[in-house]
Amino acid sequence: MYAVVIADQQETRMAGMSSAPQLDMFEAANEVSLKVNRAARGRHERAGSLSEDEMVRHLEKTGQFRILRKLVPRTVAPVRRPEFPRVGVIVDTETTGLNHRQDQVIEIGAVSFTYDDAGQIGDVIGLYGGLQQPDGSIPPEITRLTGITDSMVEGQAIDLDLLDQLIAPADLVIAHNARFDRPFCEALSPVFKDKPWACSVSEIDWGARSFEGTKLGYLIGQAGYFHDGHRAVDDCFALLAVLDTRDGEEELPFAELYQTSQRSRARVFAEHSPFEMKDNLKARGYRWSDGSDGRPKSWWIEVDEENLADELDYLRSEIYRWREADPPVKRLTAFDRFRA
């Protein structure tokens, strides 16, 4: 009984009470129990009087906890505000595999929102989510990843008319790994082909913003949220929340993405480069193209327009070792970038 009383005194001091009950060791046992119960009841009453926000602030203030809030999707605004004249659409696809030439889309999600020329986000103005039955069974590993089963997609088809209506007004289409999503979207509907695209994986410097990774699960967690991942519309809303998260006085991630998407880039092909230089090229960030997609069969890299001269100088001096070498260069804008 004495040990219980001492523990209660310590908890009472930690709870911020001005003084703890002073107990006589020879006090009657029922008197001790009464005081212990009274102190415990007081603590519970104080805790019960705190709102959820107050409890969160209290826990975060201790420095011992990080609180993740469940992401609540934004509602669709009934009226567009004129100060946000541009339209962006976040898209996400779930597919039967990684190859857009042989695999198929089984789910697409799209969330349309407004923004201004400074990259400030306005309101959600539309959304679409739809499932589609593929030609064959969904591979088990895809079901494990997405939660989508054959029974869920049986008889389902994406409403391309509704999807096209949502995409048609877009000034920018955004995907978290646009190099994957764009080819699948273009195979699904031609409305995607003439749109400028932006990639929230490669066109935002997440490391400079103190994020520890680029996967959406990492980003949404470090932004202070959790959500039901790997379903298309849920992932679209999660990305929108991350893009609209400001840390201190820095610009929004979406503002950086929008500005980056406006820049011209150059794709440089190290065509006919010596075979023994492949490891050097790979270490510098070059990727291999086997020529099946219409590109030269060679190692290639994308660089900002202002870095093109330096990249060509590198190839001529370090790879070809011939100053007159003239590797192919293709200039890209957001309309061309991330195509298959």
Side-chain angles (χ1 to χ4, degrees):
M1 181 63 71
Y2 180 76
V4 172
V5 172
I6 295 299
D8 184 69
Q9 290 176 328
Q10 291 174 339
E11 290 181 12
T12 302
R13 286 196 294 271
M14 291 175 63
M17 294 185 65
S18 59
S19 61
Q22 301 299 311
L23 302 176
D24 188 333
M25 290 183 61
F26 300 100
E27 198 169 8
N30 61 342
E31 184 76 13
V32 174
S33 297
L34 180 62
K35 292 186 177 183
V36 170
N37 292 336
R38 188 182 301 124
R41 186 168 57 251
R43 287 196 303 275
H44 294 157
E45 289 174 351
R46 287 193 300 277
S49 66
L50 296 177
S51 68
E52 286 187 359
D53 287 342
E54 288 171 333
M55 285 189 285
V56 167
R57 285 195 296 270
H58 173 74
L59 289 173
E60 290 180 332
K61 189 176 180 180
T62 66
Q64 302 299 312
F65 301 91
R66 281 191 65 229
I67 309 299
L68 299 183
R69 296 164 176 82
K70 184 173 183 178
L71 179 66
V72 178
R74 301 186 186 196
T75 58
V76 177
V79 179
R80 283 185 59 174
R81 291 184 283 172
E83 60 266 37
F84 297 101
R86 297 192 177 276
V87 175
V89 179
I90 296 174
V91 297
D92 182 65
T93 59
E94 305 296 349
T95 67
T96 56
L98 302 178
N99 189 330
H100 70 279
R101 291 184 177 87
Q102 64 185 36
D103 295 309
Q104 295 176 282
V105 174
I106 55 176
E107 183 182 31
I108 189 167
V111 172
S112 177
F113 64 96
T114 57
Y115 64 95
D116 64 18
D117 289 333
Q120 302 302 304
I121 292 176
D123 305 299
V124 170
I125 59 172
L127 60 91
Y128 175 79
L131 293 166
Q132 182 151 289
Q133 183 176 3
D135 292 338
S137 296
I138 297 174
E141 60 272 19
I142 298 299
T143 295
R144 284 194 297 270
L145 178 65
T146 65
I148 301 174
T149 64
D150 287 329
S151 61
M152 290 171 61
V153 299
E154 185 177 359
Q156 298 289 322
I158 293 169
D159 190 328
L160 292 180
D161 288 338
L162 287 179
L163 180 62
D164 289 355
Q165 290 174 29
L166 192 73
I167 302 300
D171 296 292
L172 189 65
V173 178
I174 304 109
H176 201 63
N177 191 2
R179 199 172 300 282
F180 173 83
D181 286 291
R182 181 168 189 170
F184 276 103
C185 287
E186 290 187 352
L188 188 66
S189 171
V191 73
F192 290 101
K193 293 185 177 180
D194 296 323
K195 291 296 179 182
W197 281 70
C199 177
S200 52
V201 171
S202 62
E203 295 186 296
I204 298 175
D205 189 348
W206 293 109
R209 295 173 177 273
S210 300
F211 284 85
E212 297 172 0
T214 59
K215 288 186 176 180
L216 185 57
Y218 293 149
L219 298 177
I220 194 70
Q222 288 190 256
Y225 299 100
F226 69 93
H227 81 301
D228 298 323
H230 294 300
R231 292 304 304 272
V233 171
D234 294 328
D235 282 352
C236 290
F237 274 116
L239 181 56
L240 181 62
V242 173
L243 293 177
D244 202 20
T245 298
R246 189 190 306 275
D247 185 9
E249 297 301 317
E250 67 181 11
E251 66 180 3
L252 289 176
F254 178 71
E256 180 184 348
L257 177 64
Y258 178 50
Q259 292 164 13
T260 304
S261 71
Q262 305 305 298
R263 299 174 190 155
S264 176
R265 291 175 66 83
R267 184 173 291 168
V268 184
F269 298 90
E271 195 173 24
H272 306 306
S273 58
F275 177 78
E276 61 269 20
M277 291 295 174
K278 64 181 180 63
D279 291 336
N280 301 61
L281 291 166
K282 189 174 181 179
R284 191 173 173 88
Y286 280 72
R287 303 170 64 183
W288 175 252
S289 170
D290 63 6
S292 62
D293 53 10
R295 301 171 185 166
K297 186 176 181 179
S298 67
W299 292 92
W300 62 274
I301 194 172
E302 278 186 23
V303 297
D304 290 334
E305 190 82 35
E306 57 267 28
N307 297 327
L308 176 59
D310 289 340
E311 197 60 37
L312 292 175
D313 184 67
Y314 163 78
L315 289 176
R316 289 164 179 155
S317 60
E318 302 294 330
I319 302 300
Y320 297 107
R321 298 178 182 175
W322 178 41
R323 297 306 303 175
E324 284 71 39
D326 189 23
V329 174
K330 181 179 181 180
R331 283 170 172 79
L332 303 170
T333 68
F335 289 91
D336 312 301
R337 210 171 297 138
F338 311 117
R339 286 189 185 278

